Amino acid sequence: MALTNTQYESILKGYEKTQDHNRRLLESRKNQVYAAIPEYRGLEDAIGSLSLSAARLLLGGDDFAHARLHSSLEENRLHRQQLLAEYGFPADYLDPIYTCPCCKDTGYVREEGGLSVKCHCFRRKELELLYDQSNIRDMVARENFSTLSYEYYQGEDLDRFQAAVAISQKFVENFKEDYRNLFFYGTVGTGKSFLSGCIADCLLGAGYSVIYFSAASLFETLARYSFGWKEKDCLQDFYQDLYGCDLLIMDDLGTEITNSFVTSQLFACLNERALRKKSILISTNLSLEELRDRYSDRIFSRVTSNFTLCKFTGPDIRICKKRSKS
């Protein structure tokens, strides 16, 4: 789900706290060095005097003042570096401290054209909030390849599930180089959502951005942002996340109330992510025939031509587990 203004401001306040912490840490280091090396502070103070003298000389017409300043400052820097080494301090001990050197703890970086964009660390914080909101962290804690079992499958059902597992593992292994989409379909409780969680767990662990939505929650959120005048400002940010994350998992397609709005939004999502070569994993209890009848021909065509189809069959594993415990 897109971040609210409160959540956005909380991220910015987090950066402010990080900056304050790092400033205090640097100040503490300076005091430590000044106490151990009295001469060091004098060298730092001399930098301002050297710059001021050079400025006066430049204004007086001394064309070589700048070159002498550069030489003096370099000599000063090397002297300070030498003192730090002699007293056992690292050479960069008094350099500015940044938790994220890319954005210098501001959350934003400038691109080549001068445009200010969110840093990767900001996006990570955003996505952490998105994951928490969509319960994906709880899901991947339970549903991952280490907990995968073939216990409840037999015969053709087992063959299909093993094939889906192999496709899923290959999808994860080649995710960076090979753009693909997955469509898990079949009867209730046969492992579609579980296998989706396995994929999400692997990709999150590898540092990719994964967003999970049940279909009902996704289209409800889109409708609220589209038609609620107080929340329309959030819509573009929501689209940015929806279309731009590395993997979008849309679970239980077909459980939503399907109408023209849902159909148009679903097609837009499929189309936009295809243009951006961003993968989608869709799971549904619908058959291919039901998918064709429920949605537009364009959507059916996109799914059957641009997705790897994995059919799941077998008993409802949730019911089987309950029976085994009783």
Side-chain angles (χ1 to χ4, degrees):
M1 298 173 71
L3 299 183
T4 64
N5 289 336
T6 301
Q7 290 170 322
Y8 180 81
E9 289 169 4
S10 74
I11 292 178
L12 294 182
K13 286 180 180 178
Y15 280 110
E16 291 174 5
K17 289 181 179 179
T18 298
Q19 293 168 13
D20 289 341
H21 171 77
N22 288 337
R23 276 194 292 265
R24 289 194 298 271
L25 178 57
L26 182 58
E27 193 63 29
S28 175
R29 288 184 178 185
K30 284 184 177 181
N31 291 333
Q32 185 183 0
V33 169
Y34 294 159
I37 318 172
E39 183 183 354
Y40 194 96
R41 188 163 200 164
L43 288 169
E44 277 197 336
D45 292 340
I47 294 173
S49 300
L50 288 170
S51 299
L52 183 59
S53 298
R56 288 172 176 167
L57 291 172
L58 282 169
L59 289 173
D62 187 342
D63 295 334
F64 299 100
H66 187 271
R68 289 199 301 274
L69 172 63
H70 179 76
S71 177
S72 298
L73 291 176
E74 179 63 14
E75 184 180 343
N76 183 298
R77 185 188 68 81
L78 292 173
H79 191 179
R80 284 183 286 124
Q81 197 173 65
Q82 181 182 358
L83 286 173
L84 288 175
E86 288 177 0
Y87 283 82
F89 293 100
D92 62 351
Y93 195 62
L94 296 184
D95 288 353
I97 301 170
Y98 300 116
T99 301
C100 178
C102 295
C103 68
K104 298 182 179 178
D105 298 332
T106 65
Y108 284 82
V109 294
R110 288 197 175 277
E111 293 185 330
E112 290 184 6
L115 181 66
S116 183
V117 298
K118 292 174 183 176
C119 181
H120 63 85
C121 65
F122 195 112
R123 296 295 297 162
R124 185 176 65 249
K125 294 176 189 294
E126 276 189 314
L127 288 167
E128 285 174 357
L129 288 172
L130 290 167
Y131 300 151
D132 292 339
Q133 284 178 281
S134 62
N135 298 317
I136 197 170
R137 295 206 183 281
D138 291 338
M139 181 180 76
V140 299
R142 301 185 307 270
E143 301 169 357
N144 53 72
F145 283 115
S146 67
T147 61
L148 185 146
S149 172
Y150 299 102
E151 179 182 356
Y152 299 99
Y153 299 91
Q154 293 180 353
E156 188 178 32
D157 301 335
L158 176 60
D159 293 340
R160 284 174 172 163
F161 187 66
Q162 287 177 326
V165 170
I167 289 171
S168 298
Q169 290 173 330
K170 188 174 181 180
F171 176 81
V172 169
E173 291 170 7
N174 301 328
F175 188 78
K176 185 176 181 179
E177 296 83 14
D178 188 13
Y179 162 68
R180 287 185 180 275
N181 301 302
L182 299 179
F183 187 79
F184 293 168
Y185 72 104
T187 50
V188 176
T190 48
K192 300 183 295 296
S193 295
F194 178 88
L195 207 50
S196 299
C198 293
I199 291 171
D201 176 61
C202 288
L203 294 180
L204 283 170
Y208 293 103
S209 56
V210 180
I211 294 180
Y212 166 90
F213 276 101
S214 68
S217 175
L218 172 59
F219 295 117
E220 179 187 339
T221 303
L222 281 167
R224 186 173 71 250
Y225 286 157
S226 298
F227 303 121
W229 65 271
K230 289 184 178 180
E231 300 190 80
K232 279 193 173 181
D233 290 343
C234 299
L235 184 60
Q236 291 307 313
D237 288 337
F238 184 78
Y239 278 138
Q240 183 179 352
D241 294 326
L242 189 66
Y243 297 155
C245 64
D246 295 318
L247 175 66
L248 171 65
I249 298 177
M250 193 184 305
D251 197 22
D252 280 336
L253 181 67
T255 56
E256 78 287 349
I257 298 174
T258 308
N259 51 37
S260 59
F261 173 79
V262 166
T263 301
S264 65
Q265 289 294 324
L266 176 57
F267 179 78
C269 184
L270 296 175
N271 187 60
E272 185 63 30
R273 288 188 65 84
L275 291 173
R276 300 187 186 199
K277 292 194 177 299
K278 296 291 185 179
S279 296
I280 307 179
L281 192 167
I282 296 176
S283 71
T284 181
N285 296 329
L286 300 174
S287 66
L288 293 180
E289 292 77 12
E290 290 170 327
L291 178 74
R292 181 191 58 209
D293 295 340
R294 189 179 185 114
Y295 302 100
S296 68
D297 289 338
R298 292 192 304 171
I299 289 175
F300 181 75
S301 175
R302 283 294 172 97
V303 169
T304 53
S305 60
N306 295 340
F307 285 67
T308 299
L309 307 182
C310 297
K311 186 174 183 179
F312 292 68
T313 57
D316 188 330
I317 294 173
R318 300 183 189 94
I319 295 176
C320 292
K321 287 182 176 180
K322 287 181 180 178
R323 287 174 179 169
S324 65
K325 290 178 181 179
S326 60

